[in-house]
Amino acid sequence: MTELPRLILTREHIQHGLTAKELARRCRSGALVRLRQGVYVDGGVWRALTPWDQYRVRVGAAAETFVARTIFARHSAASVWRIPTIGLRHPIHALTLQNDGGRSRAGVLRHYAPPAGLKCVRREGILVTGRIRTVLDLAAFTPFAEAVVPVDHVLKPDTEQRLPALTKELLLAGIEGNYTAAAARRVRAAVEFADPRSGSAGESYSRALMWVAGFQAPELQAEFRDDSGLVGYTDYYWDRVRVAGEFDGTEKYVKPEYLKGRTVSQTVVDEKERENRVRALGNGMVRWVWADLMAAGQLERKLAAAGVPRRRARSAQ
């Protein structure tokens, strides 16, 4: 888990030996980055963070500037829970318990939530909606393909944070009384589609985009063996047309749990060898990366070119 940088607060600037002019000068030079009025962070550390860690830091900066008790929700709560979401430029999401339309300003969107039955927890010094409510809110208020990502994630144990897996039954039980009928239908669709076998956020998003585009559901984590033994597992496999699919995220080339003591170059060589052995068994292979998922229609075009079949209409089944 990435260690987040310490926030530098204007109200504490005397403790850091910084005057207002010095803060402004350091911002101009890039030594500091201003996150919100009165909140700064070391510029070099900030630029080294991933976009999702930068967003988590912005949530913390917002928490430092609010005087009233604030419950963060949706993408903001997910960032504190380390639940993956899709997109890089989300606003800060917080709840209001007064049904007066709320106030959304300064990069913060406030959403009304009835206080009855609302559960929140304090994590890393920040009040956030509970893990179940956070995932359900994302399923209710984001597009289906994006909603599948956090739901897939919580169906597996989070070993890094020592959080248990949630069940679909637990998630579905959290719908009652919290959502409109339309929002409840969106939640059920995402939960019913979710699958804990998905290995990463990119794999989850890919699978959901495939479904939205009308492709047949693939087998996940398909096992391949040849005369030499176990070849490995592919992210997706369409047995009828003998096509394997692989999402190439950066994780397998940078994270220790994927590298398993290998160098990056050796990992690339091993991946190529694995693909060659899968192909030698008479299978086709199609690969894609994050850029393909972000470009409208690009994944659909790649899958179609590889011969991945579409779902048939019910009347043709």
Side-chain angles (χ1 to χ4, degrees):
M1 187 184 302
T2 303
E3 184 175 348
L4 299 178
R6 177 177 55 85
L7 298 176
I8 298 172
L9 310 178
T10 299
R11 64 177 182 265
E12 299 173 352
H13 70 274
I14 294 177
Q15 299 173 18
H16 300 288
L18 301 174
T19 65
K21 287 185 177 180
E22 179 65 12
L23 285 171
R25 187 187 69 78
R26 292 193 182 188
C27 283
R28 289 194 298 272
S29 71
L32 292 179
V33 172
R34 181 179 180 272
L35 301 179
R36 298 179 69 81
Q37 184 174 353
V39 187
Y40 303 81
V41 70
D42 180 273
V45 175
W46 172 259
R47 288 183 286 274
L49 293 175
T50 60
W52 47 91
D53 281 329
Q54 288 182 347
Y55 179 70
R56 168 63 184 84
V57 174
R58 289 201 295 114
V59 173
E64 287 289 354
T65 63
F66 297 157
V67 177
R69 182 175 182 267
T70 301
I71 302 170
F72 291 87
R74 302 192 187 184
H75 298 84
S76 300
S79 75
V80 177
W81 283 107
R82 310 289 179 177
I83 295 171
T85 58
I86 299 300
L88 301 178
R89 294 177 177 84
H90 298 295
I92 305 299
H93 293 274
L95 298 183
T96 177
L97 306 183
Q98 297 180 351
N99 194 9
D100 56 2
R103 291 192 177 94
S104 297
R105 58 185 175 85
V108 179
L109 293 182
R110 294 187 180 271
H111 313 277
Y112 171 68
L118 178 64
K119 295 180 180 179
C120 63
V121 297
R122 187 177 296 278
R123 286 185 64 81
E124 301 175 8
I126 298 176
L127 280 178
V128 294
T129 50
R131 197 161 162 237
I132 292 175
R133 178 62 180 264
T134 298
V135 171
L136 295 183
D137 280 354
L138 290 168
F141 303 115
T142 61
F144 172 79
E146 296 181 17
V148 168
V149 174
V151 183
D152 273 2
H153 178 81
V154 298
L155 293 180
K156 302 184 290 286
D158 186 330
T159 55
E160 192 172 23
Q161 298 190 91
R162 298 182 180 178
L163 295 171
L166 300 178
T167 65
K168 291 189 177 185
E169 291 74 21
L170 267 176
L171 293 173
L172 293 173
I175 296 174
E176 185 66 31
N178 293 316
Y179 302 97
T180 65
R185 285 195 295 271
R186 292 192 293 271
V187 173
R188 290 190 183 95
V191 172
E192 289 167 3
F193 183 81
D195 194 316
R197 293 176 296 171
S198 183
S200 67
E203 290 180 33
S204 297
Y205 193 42
S206 298
R207 193 177 89 259
L209 288 175
M210 293 173 199
W211 186 259
V212 171
F215 290 101
Q216 286 186 10
E219 178 184 348
L220 302 185
Q221 309 304 328
E223 179 183 289
F224 291 88
R225 292 181 176 272
D226 60 15
D227 292 341
S228 299
L230 178 67
V231 176
Y233 302 84
T234 61
D235 299 335
Y236 317 93
Y237 188 61
W238 291 269
D239 181 66
R240 186 165 68 84
V241 292
R242 304 197 70 176
V243 171
E246 286 279 288
F247 166 71
D248 284 328
T250 58
E251 293 91 346
K252 67 177 65 173
Y253 303 109
V254 297
K255 287 192 173 183
E257 58 265 37
Y258 291 93
L259 290 174
K260 297 179 180 178
R262 300 170 297 172
T263 64
V264 173
S265 59
Q266 184 59 52
T267 302
V268 172
V269 171
D270 290 348
E271 277 293 300
K272 182 59 178 174
E273 173 63 19
R274 183 174 70 98
E275 177 177 334
N276 289 340
R277 291 173 68 186
V278 171
R279 288 184 180 276
L281 291 169
N283 300 294
M285 176 77 80
V286 55
R287 290 182 174 272
W288 59 90
V289 295
W290 272 113
D292 297 316
L293 302 184
M294 297 297 108
Q298 180 65 9
L299 176 62
E300 182 176 1
R301 288 188 287 272
K302 281 200 165 192
L303 295 177
V308 174
R310 306 271 185 172
R311 298 193 302 276
R312 292 179 294 177
R314 289 184 180 180
S315 60
Q317 293 179 358

